[in-house]
Amino acid sequence: SRLLKLYVCDVADNFVLNGTECFCQPGFYYSSGSCIACPTGCETCSSGTVCETCVSGFATVGTGCGCADNEFLNSSKVCQTC
């Protein structure tokens, strides 16, 4: 008999199904069986400290994303000019 593998990705836990594999949704990275949100300003990341791409309005700062030199992160987590 043929065995079928069923893949269930829990969307509530930020997984998506791509073919027969589960992946984390954009803006999340995989760690210890869970999808964890990327740090503020990261569009994609490989860990909680390494951003691969930044969202619009954020700039690459070291291995993360942050506001430009003349900006600060306001309470809405948006870069705002000083």
Side-chain angles (χ1 to χ4, degrees), residues 35-66:
C35 290
I36 310 295
C38 291
T40 299
C42 294
E43 184 171 13
T44 59
C45 62
S46 58
S47 73
T49 58
V50 179
C51 296
E52 295 169 349
T53 58
C54 300
V55 296
S56 179
F58 283 79
T60 302
V61 179
T63 60
C65 298

Side-chain angles (χ1 to χ4, degrees), residues 3 6 13-15 18-19 23 32-33 36 39 41 43 45-46 54-55 82:
L3 292 175
L6 298 178
D13 287 333
N14 300 301
F15 283 101
N18 184 355
F23 292 93
S32 301
I36 310 295
E43 184 171 13
C45 62
S46 58
C54 300
V55 296
C82 295

Side-chain angles (χ1 to χ4, degrees), residues 3 6 8-12 15-16 24 27 30 34-35 44 46 51 57 66 69 73-74 77:
L3 292 175
L6 298 178
V8 178
C9 291
D10 191 348
V11 175
F15 283 101
V16 293
C24 292
Y30 183 80
S34 300
C35 290
T44 59
S46 58
C51 296
D69 287 341
L73 193 62
N74 67 20
K77 296 192 176 189

